Amino acid sequence: MHPIRFAAVQRHDTHVFHYAPGDDVAVSRHWPGLFEEWPEGETPFTEWAVNNNNTEEVAVYVGLVWRLTAGLARYAIPTYYRDDAARTLGREPVLVDWEYEVDAEQLTAESRDNGFVPGRAALTIRPTAWEVENASRAGLFPLATPRDLVSALHAVIFDASSEISVFAVAPGAERFERLTAALRGPVRPALGHILGDDGIFLDLTIGSDLGNYDSIIIASCTDLLRPLTDLAADCAQRVESYEQRLDELHSVRDFLRAMPELAGVDLDAS
């Protein structure tokens, strides 16, 4: 079994958990078809943001993020590629002043985690006046299904490293307004203040180029050690089961049928 372990760190009144695999990966045996040509239509990338570089572990991450935040309303900041995310998600974001930053080239949890930094967005070669005016703002998008999280990944994953921060809070307009208010303004926000008693924060960073590494950061004002340990163990069991079935996957269609079981989620389920 491939262990997926989170290291716990107490930060003031916030419980923080880091998963930093370094050179290890959640999935060690890969479907050979990832390294071959795919037919047009639904592919590992269109459906799960999985390719021959960022392999099946991406589906494991998507499932882990979604399952840990069950019952909460989810909002995401796809770092830097705000306007690309608007296109892949098909919706406009709420503009905010702050985003979370992880340095994918660092190996330790402490050196990777830079916390909240001023937001920024990529500019096109010929930016519009609106793009220039809002280049220092990040975009917060609602996520209704795991497919939305994959769509956000489509906007960012082509870079040397990619990052999506997810804020999961109690459903409702009032709670969403509190979240956006905390991410706006001249003062760097505190994670505990943003989360309150009901929220969970997750940062998913995926390294693509050599020297860039995956990580997951999870934070909450309540101690998530027990549910997170149980979820990580379940993820590891799903990976082991998937690797044992690899020889049964003969086509892209077979692969896509196996992904919900590996991830533990259906892409279109809420």
Side-chain angles (χ1 to χ4, degrees):
M1 183 182 297
H2 305 290
I4 298 177
R5 296 193 183 97
F6 285 86
V9 179
Q10 183 70 35
R11 186 186 298 169
H12 302 296
D13 59 348
T14 306
H15 299 271
V16 182
F17 302 88
H18 291 267
Y19 169 61
D23 289 321
D24 296 328
V25 290
V27 182
S28 59
R29 290 190 62 217
H30 306 294
W31 181 55
L34 292 179
F35 308 92
E36 301 171 359
E37 290 191 13
W38 302 331
E40 295 199 7
E42 295 180 349
T43 70
F45 186 74
T46 64
E47 300 306 292
W48 289 93
V50 167
N51 55 56
N52 60 9
N53 184 22
N54 308 110
T55 52
E56 295 98 328
E57 69 275 2
V58 177
V60 176
Y61 300 155
V62 168
L64 191 151
V65 169
W66 207 260
R67 294 162 69 195
L68 186 63
T69 56
L72 299 173
R74 307 165 178 97
Y75 304 92
I77 296 178
T79 300
Y80 191 53
Y81 294 103
R82 179 196 67 204
D83 299 336
D84 295 88
R87 285 187 285 273
T88 59
L89 283 160
R91 66 192 65 144
E92 293 302 312
V94 172
L95 298 181
V96 294
D97 298 309
W98 297 90
E99 63 187 10
Y100 213 81
E101 182 181 81
V102 166
D103 185 346
E105 294 183 327
Q106 301 300 316
L107 279 173
T108 67
E110 294 76 14
S111 61
R112 291 175 68 86
D113 189 347
N114 292 331
F116 284 102
V117 298
R120 62 193 182 106
L123 290 176
T124 58
I125 295 176
R126 295 176 179 170
T128 66
W130 184 90
E131 289 172 336
V132 172
E133 181 183 357
N134 292 285
S136 60
R137 307 195 79 188
L140 184 69
F141 296 85
L143 303 177
T145 64
R147 191 177 295 276
D148 285 343
L149 179 54
V150 172
S151 294
L153 281 169
H154 284 155
V156 301
I157 204 168
F158 53 82
D159 213 336
S161 66
S162 52
E163 183 177 358
I164 293 179
S165 299
V166 176
F167 302 84
V169 297
E174 180 180 352
R175 187 61 181 87
F176 176 63
E177 290 172 4
R178 283 173 51 200
L179 172 63
T180 55
L183 290 168
R184 289 174 173 164
V187 179
R188 176 176 174 164
L191 194 52
H193 174 68
I194 286 179
L195 294 175
D197 294 333
D198 59 0
I200 299 175
F201 169 81
L202 303 98
D203 182 277
L204 172 58
T205 297
I206 298 177
S208 295
D209 284 3
L210 288 175
N212 290 264
Y213 299 92
D214 298 355
S215 68
I216 301 174
I217 298 173
I218 296 170
S220 174
C221 289
T222 58
D223 190 353
L224 297 175
L225 180 59
R226 177 59 63 84
L228 186 55
T229 300
D230 292 344
L231 181 55
D234 182 73
C235 288
Q237 290 175 344
R238 290 176 182 275
V239 169
E240 184 177 35
S241 176
Y242 168 77
E243 292 188 353
Q244 291 173 350
R245 295 179 50 212
L246 275 178
D247 293 340
E248 303 172 15
L249 308 182
H250 303 296
S251 66
V252 168
R253 182 171 295 181
D254 292 340
F255 176 85
L256 294 179
R257 289 196 188 108
M259 283 301 96
E261 183 62 28
L262 173 63
V265 294
D266 183 279
L267 282 176
D268 295 308
S270 59

